[in-house]
Coordinates of all heavy atoms in Angstrom, one line a residue:
M1 N 102.5 23.9 58.9 CA 101.8 24.4 60.0 C 100.3 24.4 59.8 O 99.9 24.9 58.7 CB 102.3 25.7 60.6 CG 101.6 26.2 61.6 SD 102.3 27.8 62.2 CE 101.1 28.4 63.3
D2 N 99.4 23.9 60.5 CA 98.0 23.8 60.3 C 97.5 25.1 60.7 O 97.9 25.7 61.8 CB 97.3 22.6 61.1 CG 97.7 21.3 60.4 OD1 98.0 21.4 59.2 OD2 97.4 20.4 61.1
M3 N 96.3 25.5 60.2 CA 95.5 26.7 60.4 C 94.3 26.2 61.2 O 93.7 25.3 60.7 CB 95.2 27.5 59.2 CG 96.4 27.9 58.3 SD 97.4 29.1 59.2 CE 96.6 30.6 58.7
E4 N 93.9 26.9 62.1 CA 92.7 26.5 62.9 C 91.6 27.5 62.5 O 91.7 28.6 62.4 CB 92.9 26.6 64.4 CG 91.8 26.1 65.2 CD 92.0 26.1 66.7 OE1 93.0 25.4 67.1 OE2 91.2 26.6 67.5
V5 N 90.4 26.9 62.2 CA 89.2 27.6 61.8 C 88.1 27.1 62.8 O 87.9 26.2 63.1 CB 88.8 27.3 60.3 CG1 87.6 28.0 59.9 CG2 90.0 27.6 59.4
S6 N 87.4 28.2 63.1 CA 86.3 27.9 64.0 C 84.9 28.3 63.3 O 85.0 29.2 62.7 CB 86.4 28.4 65.4 OG 86.3 29.8 65.5
M7 N 83.8 27.8 63.9 CA 82.5 28.2 63.3 C 81.5 28.2 64.4 O 81.5 27.2 65.2 CB 82.2 27.3 62.1 CG 80.7 27.2 61.7 SD 80.4 26.2 60.4 CE 80.5 24.4 61.1
N8 N 80.7 29.2 64.5 CA 79.5 29.1 65.4 C 78.3 28.6 64.6 O 78.0 29.1 63.6 CB 79.1 30.5 65.9 CG 80.1 30.8 66.9 OD1 80.5 30.1 67.6 ND2 80.3 32.2 67.0
M9 N 77.5 27.6 65.1 CA 76.4 27.0 64.5 C 75.2 27.4 65.3 O 75.2 27.0 66.4 CB 76.5 25.5 64.1 CG 77.6 25.2 63.2 SD 77.7 23.5 62.9 CE 76.2 23.2 62.0
S10 N 74.3 28.1 64.8 CA 73.1 28.5 65.5 C 71.8 27.7 65.2 O 71.7 27.2 64.1 CB 72.8 30.1 65.2 OG 73.8 30.8 65.5
N11 N 71.1 27.5 66.2 CA 69.7 26.8 65.9 C 68.7 27.9 66.2 O 69.0 29.0 66.6 CB 69.6 25.6 66.7 CG 69.7 25.8 68.2 OD1 69.4 26.8 68.6 ND2 70.1 24.6 68.9
T12 N 67.4 27.5 66.0 CA 66.3 28.5 66.1 C 66.1 29.1 67.6 O 65.5 30.1 67.5 CB 65.0 27.9 65.6 OG1 64.7 26.7 66.4 CG2 65.1 27.5 64.2
N13 N 66.5 28.4 68.4 CA 66.3 29.0 69.9 C 67.4 29.9 70.4 O 67.4 30.3 71.5 CB 65.9 27.9 70.9 CG 67.1 27.0 71.1 OD1 68.2 27.2 70.8 ND2 66.8 25.9 71.9
G14 N 68.4 30.3 69.5 CA 69.4 31.1 69.9 C 70.7 30.4 70.5 O 71.6 31.1 70.8
D15 N 70.7 29.1 70.8 CA 71.8 28.4 71.4 C 72.8 28.2 70.2 O 72.5 28.2 69.1 CB 71.3 27.1 71.8 CG 70.5 27.1 73.2 OD1 70.5 28.1 73.9 OD2 69.8 26.1 73.4
T16 N 74.1 28.5 70.6 CA 75.1 28.1 69.5 C 76.1 27.1 70.0 O 76.2 26.9 71.3 CB 75.8 29.4 69.3 OG1 76.5 30.0 70.4 CG2 75.0 30.6 68.6
K17 N 76.7 26.4 69.2 CA 77.8 25.5 69.3 C 78.9 25.8 68.6 O 78.7 26.3 67.4 CB 77.3 24.1 69.1 CG 76.1 23.6 69.8 CD 76.5 23.4 71.2 CE 75.2 22.9 72.1 NZ 75.4 23.0 73.4
V18 N 80.1 25.8 69.0 CA 81.3 26.2 68.4 C 81.9 24.9 67.8 O 82.1 23.9 68.6 CB 82.4 27.0 69.2 CG1 83.6 27.1 68.4 CG2 81.7 28.2 69.5
V19 N 82.2 24.8 66.5 CA 82.8 23.7 66.0 C 84.2 24.2 65.4 O 84.2 25.1 64.8 CB 82.0 23.1 64.7 CG1 82.6 22.0 64.1 CG2 80.6 22.8 65.2
Q20 N 85.2 23.4 65.7 CA 86.5 23.8 65.3 C 87.2 22.7 64.5 O 86.9 21.5 64.7 CB 87.5 24.0 66.4 CG 87.0 25.3 67.2 CD 87.9 25.6 68.4 OE1 88.4 24.8 68.9 NE2 88.1 26.9 68.6
T21 N 88.1 23.0 63.6 CA 88.8 22.1 62.8 C 90.2 22.7 62.4 O 90.3 23.9 62.6 CB 88.1 21.6 61.4 OG1 88.8 20.5 60.9 CG2 87.8 22.6 60.4
E22 N 91.1 22.0 61.9 CA 92.3 22.5 61.4 C 92.5 22.2 60.0 O 92.2 21.0 59.6 CB 93.4 21.8 62.3 CG 93.6 22.1 63.7 CD 94.6 21.4 64.4 OE1 95.5 20.8 63.9 OE2 94.6 21.6 65.8
L23 N 92.9 23.1 59.2 CA 93.2 23.0 57.8 C 94.7 23.3 57.5 O 95.3 24.2 58.2 CB 92.4 23.9 57.0 CG 91.0 23.8 57.1 CD1 90.2 24.9 56.3 CD2 90.4 22.5 56.6
N24 N 95.3 22.5 56.7 CA 96.7 22.8 56.4 C 96.7 24.1 55.5 O 95.7 24.6 55.0 CB 97.5 21.7 55.8 CG 97.0 21.4 54.4 OD1 96.6 22.3 53.6 ND2 96.9 20.0 54.1
P25 N 97.8 24.7 55.3 CA 97.8 26.1 54.6 C 97.2 25.9 53.2 O 96.6 27.0 52.7 CB 99.3 26.6 54.6 CG 99.9 25.9 55.8 CD 99.0 24.5 55.9
A26 N 97.4 25.0 52.5 CA 97.0 24.9 51.2 C 95.4 24.7 51.2 O 94.7 25.3 50.4 CB 97.6 23.7 50.5
E27 N 94.9 23.9 52.1 CA 93.5 23.7 52.2 C 92.8 25.0 52.6 O 91.8 25.4 52.1 CB 93.1 22.7 53.2 CG 93.5 21.2 53.0 CD 93.5 20.2 54.0 OE1 93.5 20.6 55.2 OE2 93.2 19.1 53.9
Y28 N 93.4 25.6 53.5 CA 92.9 27.0 54.1 C 92.9 28.0 52.9 O 91.8 28.6 52.6 CB 93.7 27.5 55.2 CG 93.2 28.9 55.7 CD1 92.1 29.0 56.5 CD2 93.8 30.1 55.2 CE1 91.6 30.2 57.0 CE2 93.4 31.3 55.7 CZ 92.3 31.4 56.5 OH 91.8 32.6 56.9
A29 N 93.8 28.0 52.1 CA 94.0 29.1 51.0 C 92.9 28.6 50.0 O 92.2 29.6 49.4 CB 95.3 28.9 50.4
R30 N 92.7 27.5 49.6 CA 91.6 27.0 48.7 C 90.4 27.4 49.2 O 89.4 27.9 48.4 CB 91.9 25.5 48.4 CG 93.0 25.2 47.6 CD 93.2 23.7 47.3 NE 92.1 23.1 46.8 CZ 91.7 21.8 47.0 NH1 92.5 21.1 47.7 NH2 90.7 21.4 46.4
F31 N 90.0 27.0 50.5 CA 88.8 27.2 51.1 C 88.4 28.6 51.1 O 87.4 29.1 50.6 CB 88.8 26.6 52.5 CG 87.3 26.6 53.1 CD1 86.4 25.7 52.6 CD2 87.0 27.5 54.1 CE1 85.1 25.8 53.2 CE2 85.7 27.6 54.6 CZ 84.8 26.7 54.2
R32 N 89.4 29.5 51.5 CA 89.2 30.9 51.6 C 89.0 31.6 50.2 O 88.1 32.4 50.0 CB 90.5 31.6 52.3 CG 90.3 33.0 52.4 CD 91.5 33.6 53.2 NE 91.4 35.0 53.3 CZ 92.3 35.8 53.4 NH1 93.6 35.3 53.5 NH2 92.1 37.2 53.4
R33 N 89.8 31.1 49.2 CA 89.6 31.6 47.9 C 88.2 31.2 47.4 O 87.4 32.1 46.8 CB 90.6 30.9 47.0 CG 90.4 31.4 45.5 CD 91.5 30.8 44.6 NE 91.5 29.3 44.6 CZ 90.7 28.5 44.0 NH1 89.7 28.9 43.4 NH2 90.8 27.2 44.2
L34 N 87.7 30.0 47.6 CA 86.4 29.6 47.1 C 85.2 30.4 47.7 O 84.3 30.9 47.1 CB 86.1 28.1 47.2 CG 87.0 27.1 46.4 CD1 86.9 25.7 46.9 CD2 86.6 27.3 45.0
A35 N 85.3 30.5 49.1 CA 84.4 31.4 49.8 C 84.3 32.8 49.2 O 83.3 33.3 49.0 CB 84.6 31.4 51.3
Q36 N 85.6 33.3 49.1 CA 85.6 34.8 48.5 C 85.0 34.9 47.1 O 84.3 35.8 46.8 CB 87.0 35.3 48.5 CG 87.6 35.6 49.9 CD 89.1 35.9 49.8 OE1 89.8 35.7 48.9 NE2 89.5 36.7 50.8
E37 N 85.2 33.9 46.3 CA 84.6 33.8 45.0 C 83.2 33.9 44.9 O 82.6 34.4 44.1 CB 85.2 32.6 44.0 CG 86.7 32.8 43.7 CD 87.3 31.7 43.0 OE1 86.5 30.6 42.9 OE2 88.4 31.6 42.7
E38 N 82.6 33.1 46.0 CA 81.2 33.1 46.1 C 80.6 34.2 47.0 O 79.4 34.3 47.2 CB 80.7 31.8 46.7 CG 81.1 30.6 45.8 CD 80.6 29.3 46.2 OE1 79.9 29.3 47.2 OE2 81.0 28.3 45.6
G39 N 81.5 35.1 47.4 CA 80.9 36.3 48.2 C 80.5 36.0 49.6 O 79.6 36.5 50.2
K40 N 81.2 34.8 50.1 CA 80.8 34.3 51.5 C 81.9 34.5 52.4 O 83.1 34.4 52.0 CB 80.4 32.9 51.3 CG 79.2 32.5 50.5 CD 79.0 31.2 50.5 CE 77.7 30.8 49.5 NZ 77.5 29.5 49.3
S41 N 81.6 34.7 53.7 CA 82.5 34.7 54.7 C 83.1 33.1 55.0 O 82.3 32.3 54.6 CB 82.0 35.3 56.0 OG 81.0 34.5 56.6
L42 N 84.1 33.1 55.6 CA 84.5 31.7 56.0 C 83.4 31.0 56.9 O 83.1 29.9 56.7 CB 85.9 31.7 56.7 CG 87.1 31.9 55.9 CD1 88.3 32.1 56.7 CD2 87.2 31.0 54.8
K43 N 82.9 31.8 57.7 CA 81.9 31.3 58.6 C 80.7 30.8 57.8 O 80.0 29.7 58.1 CB 81.4 32.3 59.6 CG 80.3 32.0 60.7 CD 80.0 33.1 61.6 CE 79.0 32.7 62.5 NZ 78.7 33.8 63.4
E44 N 80.2 31.5 56.8 CA 79.2 31.1 56.1 C 79.4 29.9 55.3 O 78.6 28.9 55.1 CB 78.6 32.2 55.0 CG 78.1 33.5 55.7 CD 77.9 34.6 54.7 OE1 78.8 34.9 54.0 OE2 76.8 35.2 54.7
A45 N 80.6 29.9 54.6 CA 81.0 28.6 53.8 C 81.2 27.5 54.7 O 80.7 26.4 54.3 CB 82.3 29.0 53.1
L46 N 81.7 27.6 55.9 CA 81.8 26.4 56.9 C 80.4 25.9 57.1 O 80.2 24.7 57.2 CB 82.6 26.8 58.0 CG 84.1 26.9 57.9 CD1 84.8 27.5 59.0 CD2 84.6 25.4 57.5
R47 N 79.6 26.8 57.5 CA 78.2 26.4 57.8 C 77.5 25.7 56.7 O 77.0 24.6 56.8 CB 77.3 27.6 58.2 CG 76.0 27.2 58.8 CD 75.2 28.3 59.3 NE 75.7 28.9 60.5 CZ 76.1 30.1 60.6 NH1 76.1 30.9 59.6 NH2 76.6 30.6 61.8
E48 N 77.6 26.1 55.5 CA 77.1 25.5 54.2 C 77.7 24.2 54.1 O 77.1 23.2 53.8 CB 77.4 26.4 53.1 CG 76.7 25.8 51.8 CD 77.0 26.8 50.6 OE1 76.7 28.0 50.7 OE2 77.5 26.3 49.7
A49 N 79.0 24.1 54.3 CA 79.7 22.8 54.1 C 79.2 21.8 55.1 O 79.0 20.6 54.9 CB 81.3 23.0 54.2
A50 N 79.1 22.2 56.3 CA 78.6 21.3 57.4 C 77.1 20.8 57.1 O 76.9 19.7 57.2 CB 78.6 22.0 58.8
T51 N 76.3 21.7 56.6 CA 74.9 21.3 56.3 C 74.9 20.4 55.2 O 74.1 19.4 55.2 CB 74.1 22.6 55.9 OG1 74.1 23.5 57.1 CG2 72.7 22.3 55.6
E52 N 75.7 20.6 54.1 CA 75.8 19.8 53.0 C 76.3 18.3 53.4 O 75.8 17.3 53.0 CB 76.6 20.2 51.9 CG 75.9 21.4 51.2 CD 76.7 22.0 50.1 OE1 77.7 21.3 49.7 OE2 76.6 23.2 49.7
Y53 N 77.3 18.3 54.4 CA 77.8 17.0 54.9 C 76.7 16.3 55.6 O 76.4 15.1 55.4 CB 79.0 17.2 55.8 CG 79.6 16.0 56.3 CD1 80.5 15.4 55.6 CD2 79.2 15.5 57.5 CE1 81.1 14.1 55.9 CE2 79.7 14.3 57.9 CZ 80.7 13.6 57.2 OH 81.1 12.4 57.7
I54 N 75.9 17.0 56.4 CA 74.9 16.3 57.3 C 73.9 15.8 56.3 O 73.3 14.6 56.3 CB 74.3 17.3 58.2 CG1 75.3 17.7 59.3 CG2 73.0 16.7 58.8 CD1 74.9 18.9 60.1
D55 N 73.4 16.6 55.3 CA 72.4 16.2 54.3 C 72.8 15.0 53.5 O 71.9 14.0 53.2 CB 72.0 17.3 53.4 CG 71.2 18.5 54.2 OD1 70.7 18.2 55.3 OD2 71.2 19.7 53.6
A56 N 74.1 14.9 53.2 CA 74.6 13.9 52.4 C 74.8 12.5 53.2 O 74.7 11.4 52.6 CB 75.9 14.1 51.8
H57 N 74.9 12.7 54.5 CA 75.4 11.5 55.4 C 74.3 11.0 56.3 O 74.5 9.9 56.9 CB 76.7 11.6 55.9 CG 77.8 11.7 55.0 ND1 78.3 13.0 54.4 CD2 78.7 10.8 54.5 CE1 79.3 12.7 53.6 NE2 79.5 11.4 53.6
D58 N 73.4 11.9 56.7 CA 72.4 11.6 57.7 C 71.4 10.7 57.1 O 70.8 11.0 56.0 CB 71.8 12.9 58.3 CG 71.1 12.5 59.5 OD1 71.3 11.5 60.2 OD2 70.2 13.4 59.8
A59 N 70.9 9.6 57.6 CA 70.0 8.7 57.1 C 68.9 8.5 58.2 O 69.2 8.6 59.4 CB 70.5 7.3 56.8
P60 N 67.6 8.3 57.8 CA 66.6 8.1 58.7 C 66.7 6.7 59.5 O 67.5 5.8 59.1 CB 65.3 8.0 57.8 CG 65.7 8.2 56.5 CD 67.2 8.3 56.4
D61 N 66.3 6.8 60.7 CA 66.4 5.7 61.7 C 65.3 4.7 61.2 O 64.1 4.9 61.3 CB 66.2 6.1 63.1 CG 66.2 5.0 64.0 OD1 66.4 3.8 63.5 OD2 66.0 5.2 65.2
P62 N 65.7 3.5 60.6 CA 64.8 2.6 60.2 C 63.9 2.1 61.3 O 62.8 1.5 61.0 CB 65.6 1.5 59.5 CG 66.9 1.7 60.0 CD 67.1 3.1 60.4
S63 N 64.2 2.1 62.5 CA 63.4 1.6 63.6 C 62.4 2.6 64.0 O 61.7 2.3 65.0 CB 64.3 1.2 64.8 OG 65.0 2.3 65.3
D64 N 62.4 3.8 63.4 CA 61.4 4.9 63.9 C 60.1 4.3 63.6 O 59.8 3.8 62.4 CB 61.6 6.1 63.0 CG 60.9 7.2 63.5 OD1 59.7 7.1 63.8 OD2 61.4 8.4 63.4
P65 N 59.1 4.4 64.4 CA 57.6 3.8 64.2 C 57.0 4.5 63.0 O 56.1 3.9 62.4 CB 57.0 4.2 65.5 CG 58.0 4.5 66.5 CD 59.2 4.9 65.7
L66 N 57.5 5.8 62.6 CA 56.9 6.4 61.5 C 56.8 5.6 60.3 O 56.0 5.5 59.5 CB 57.5 7.8 61.1 CG 57.0 8.5 60.1 CD1 55.6 9.0 60.3 CD2 57.9 9.7 59.8
F67 N 57.9 4.8 60.1 CA 58.1 4.0 58.9 C 57.2 2.7 58.9 O 57.0 2.2 57.8 CB 59.5 3.4 58.8 CG 60.5 4.6 58.5 CD1 61.4 5.0 59.5 CD2 60.4 5.4 57.2 CE1 62.3 6.1 59.1 CE2 61.3 6.3 57.1 CZ 62.2 6.8 57.9
A68 N 56.6 2.4 60.0 CA 55.5 1.4 59.9 C 54.4 1.9 59.1 O 53.5 1.0 58.6 CB 55.2 1.0 61.3
V69 N 54.1 3.0 59.1 CA 52.9 3.6 58.3 C 53.0 3.2 57.0 O 52.0 2.9 56.2 CB 52.9 5.3 58.5 CG1 51.8 5.8 57.7 CG2 52.6 5.5 59.9
A70 N 54.1 3.3 56.3 CA 54.2 2.9 54.9 C 53.9 1.5 54.6 O 53.2 1.2 53.7 CB 55.8 3.1 54.4
D71 N 54.2 0.5 55.6 CA 53.8 -0.8 55.5 C 52.3 -0.9 55.7 O 51.6 -1.7 54.8 CB 54.5 -1.7 56.4 CG 56.1 -1.6 56.2 OD1 56.5 -1.6 55.1 OD2 56.7 -2.0 57.2
E72 N 51.8 -0.2 56.6 CA 50.2 -0.2 56.8 C 49.5 0.3 55.5 O 48.6 -0.3 55.2 CB 49.9 0.7 58.0 CG 50.5 0.1 59.3 CD 49.5 -0.4 60.2 OE1 48.3 -0.4 59.8 OE2 49.8 -0.8 61.3
M73 N 50.0 1.4 55.0 CA 49.4 2.0 53.8 C 49.4 0.9 52.7 O 48.4 0.7 51.9 CB 50.0 3.2 53.5 CG 49.7 4.4 54.3 SD 50.5 5.9 53.8 CE 49.7 6.2 52.3
A74 N 50.5 0.3 52.5 CA 50.7 -0.6 51.3 C 49.7 -1.8 51.5 O 49.0 -2.2 50.6 CB 52.1 -1.2 51.2
A75 N 49.6 -2.3 52.8 CA 48.5 -3.3 53.1 C 47.1 -2.9 52.7 O 46.3 -3.7 52.3 CB 48.7 -3.8 54.5
L76 N 46.8 -1.7 53.2 CA 45.5 -1.1 53.2 C 45.0 -0.9 51.7 O 43.9 -1.0 51.2 CB 45.2 0.2 53.9 CG 45.5 0.1 55.5 CD1 45.5 1.4 56.0 CD2 44.3 -0.8 56.1
N77 N 46.1 -0.5 50.9 CA 45.9 -0.2 49.5 C 45.9 -1.3 48.7 O 45.5 -1.3 47.4 CB 47.0 0.8 49.0 CG 46.5 2.2 49.3 OD1 45.4 2.6 49.2 ND2 47.6 2.9 49.7
E78 N 46.3 -2.5 49.0 CA 46.4 -3.7 48.3 C 44.9 -4.1 47.8 O 44.0 -4.1 48.5 CB 46.8 -4.9 49.2 CG 47.5 -6.0 48.4 CD 48.1 -7.0 49.3 OE1 49.2 -6.5 49.9 OE2 47.6 -8.1 49.5
G79 N 44.9 -4.4 46.4 CA 43.6 -4.8 46.0 C 42.7 -3.6 45.6 O 41.5 -3.8 45.1
R80 N 43.1 -2.3 45.7 CA 42.3 -1.2 45.5 C 42.6 -0.7 44.0 O 41.8 0.3 43.6 CB 42.5 -0.1 46.4 CG 42.1 -0.4 47.8 CD 42.3 0.7 48.8 NE 41.6 1.9 48.5 CZ 40.3 2.1 48.9 NH1 39.8 1.4 49.8 NH2 39.7 3.2 48.6
R81 N 43.3 -1.5 43.3 CA 43.5 -1.1 41.8 C 44.1 0.3 41.6 O 43.5 0.9 40.7 CB 42.3 -1.4 40.9 CG 41.9 -2.9 40.9 CD 40.7 -3.2 40.1 NE 40.4 -4.5 40.4 CZ 39.2 -5.2 40.1 NH1 38.3 -4.3 39.4 NH2 39.0 -6.3 40.4
G82 N 45.0 0.7 42.5 CA 45.5 2.1 42.3 C 44.7 3.1 42.9 O 45.3 4.3 42.9
E83 N 43.5 2.9 43.3 CA 42.8 4.0 44.0 C 43.2 4.2 45.4 O 43.0 3.3 46.2 CB 41.3 3.7 44.0 CG 40.5 4.9 44.5 CD 38.9 4.5 44.3 OE1 38.6 4.0 43.2 OE2 38.3 4.8 45.3
P84 N 43.8 5.3 45.8 CA 44.4 5.5 47.1 C 43.1 5.6 48.2 O 42.0 5.9 47.7 CB 45.2 6.8 47.2 CG 44.5 7.5 45.9 CD 44.0 6.5 45.0
L85 N 43.6 5.2 49.4 CA 42.6 5.4 50.4 C 42.2 6.9 50.7 O 43.1 7.8 50.5 CB 43.1 4.9 51.8 CG 43.2 3.5 51.9 CD1 44.1 3.1 53.2 CD2 41.9 2.6 52.0
A86 N 41.0 7.2 51.0 CA 40.6 8.5 51.3 C 41.2 8.9 52.8 O 41.5 7.9 53.5 CB 39.1 8.7 51.4
P87 N 41.6 10.2 53.0 CA 42.3 10.5 54.2 C 41.5 9.9 55.6 O 42.1 9.4 56.3 CB 42.3 12.0 54.2 CG 42.2 12.3 52.7 CD 41.4 11.3 52.1
D88 N 40.2 10.0 55.5 CA 39.4 9.5 56.6 C 39.6 8.0 56.7 O 39.7 7.4 57.9 CB 38.0 9.9 56.6 CG 37.2 9.5 55.5 OD1 37.8 9.1 54.4 OD2 35.9 9.3 55.6
E89 N 39.6 7.3 55.6 CA 39.8 5.9 55.7 C 41.2 5.5 56.2 O 41.3 4.5 57.0 CB 39.7 5.1 54.2 CG 38.2 5.3 53.7 CD 38.2 4.8 52.4 OE1 39.0 5.2 51.4 OE2 37.5 3.8 52.0
L90 N 42.2 6.2 55.8 CA 43.6 6.0 56.3 C 43.5 6.3 57.7 O 44.1 5.3 58.6 CB 44.5 6.7 55.5 CG 46.0 6.7 55.9 CD1 46.4 5.2 55.6 CD2 46.8 7.6 55.1
D91 N 43.1 7.4 58.2 CA 43.0 7.6 59.6 C 42.4 6.5 60.5 O 42.8 6.0 61.5 CB 42.3 8.9 59.9 CG 43.3 10.2 59.5 OD1 44.5 10.0 59.2 OD2 42.7 11.3 59.5
D92 N 41.3 6.1 59.9 CA 40.4 5.1 60.6 C 41.2 3.7 60.7 O 41.3 3.1 61.8 CB 39.2 4.8 59.8 CG 38.2 6.0 60.0 OD1 38.4 6.9 60.8 OD2 37.2 6.0 59.2
A93 N 41.9 3.3 59.7 CA 42.7 2.2 59.6 C 43.9 2.3 60.5 O 44.2 1.4 61.3 CB 43.0 1.7 58.2
L94 N 44.7 3.4 60.4 CA 45.9 3.5 61.2 C 45.6 3.7 62.7 O 46.3 3.3 63.6 CB 46.6 4.7 60.7 CG 47.3 4.6 59.4 CD1 47.9 5.8 58.9 CD2 48.3 3.4 59.3
Y95 N 44.5 4.3 63.0 CA 44.1 4.7 64.5 C 43.0 3.6 65.0 O 42.5 3.7 66.0 CB 43.7 6.0 64.7 CG 44.8 6.9 64.3 CD1 44.7 7.7 63.1 CD2 46.1 7.0 65.1 CE1 45.7 8.6 62.7 CE2 47.0 7.9 64.7 CZ 46.9 8.7 63.6 OH 48.0 9.5 63.2
E96 N 42.9 2.6 64.2 CA 42.1 1.4 64.5 C 40.7 1.9 64.9 O 40.0 1.3 65.9 CB 42.8 0.5 65.7 CG 44.0 0.0 65.1 CD 44.7 -0.8 66.1 OE1 44.3 -0.8 67.3 OE2 45.7 -1.5 65.8
R97 N 40.1 2.8 64.1 CA 38.8 3.2 64.4 C 37.9 2.7 63.3 O 38.3 2.5 62.1 CB 38.6 4.8 64.3 CG 39.4 5.7 65.3 CD 39.2 7.0 65.2 NE 39.1 7.4 63.8 CZ 39.6 8.7 63.5 NH1 39.9 9.6 64.3 NH2 39.5 9.1 62.2
P98 N 36.7 2.2 63.6 CA 35.8 1.7 62.5 C 35.5 2.9 61.5 O 35.3 4.1 62.0 CB 34.6 1.3 63.2 CG 34.8 1.4 64.7 CD 36.1 2.1 64.9
H99 N 35.4 2.7 60.2 CA 35.1 3.7 59.2 C 33.9 4.5 59.6 O 33.0 3.8 59.9 CB 35.1 3.2 57.9 CG 35.1 4.2 56.9 ND1 36.0 5.1 56.7 CD2 33.9 4.4 56.1 CE1 35.6 6.0 55.7 NE2 34.4 5.5 55.3
G100 N 33.9 5.8 59.6 CA 32.9 6.5 59.9 C 32.6 6.9 61.3 O 31.7 7.7 61.6
D101 N 33.5 6.4 62.1 CA 33.4 6.8 63.6 C 34.3 7.8 64.0 O 35.4 7.7 64.6 CB 33.7 5.5 64.3 CG 33.4 5.7 65.9 OD1 32.7 6.5 66.3 OD2 34.1 4.9 66.6
D102 N 33.9 9.1 63.7 CA 34.7 10.3 64.0 C 34.5 10.8 65.4 O 33.5 10.6 66.1 CB 34.4 11.4 63.0 CG 34.8 11.2 61.6 OD1 35.8 10.5 61.5 OD2 34.2 11.6 60.7
D103 N 35.5 11.4 66.0 CA 35.4 12.0 67.3 C 34.7 13.3 67.4 O 34.6 13.9 68.4 CB 36.8 12.1 67.9 CG 37.4 10.8 68.2 OD1 36.8 9.8 68.5 OD2 38.7 10.7 68.1
E104 N 34.3 13.8 66.2 CA 33.8 15.2 66.2 C 32.2 15.1 66.5 O 31.5 14.3 66.4 CB 33.9 15.7 64.7 CG 35.3 16.0 64.5 CD 35.5 16.4 63.0 OE1 35.5 15.6 62.0 OE2 35.6 17.6 62.9

């Protein structure tokens, strides 16, 4: 017979989502024992397990425009012999402003 375990996952604005799963008796006993050994409730241990799973399996979206910045920086740094662009030079290049043309 499987045991049902549920978990509330909270985010910063107070909304919660309930996540449920089923564990067989042996899995449940092992999970409960490990949580108790670490001084954690089942809820805390499940939240930690979910977070670790997400961190291990979630990958950035390669189509995110943010990643184009890395290519731009590499192109801008080419030929500078390891000397990085100054922050204002990088901003000017990325936002297509002539160097020294600040909005201030």
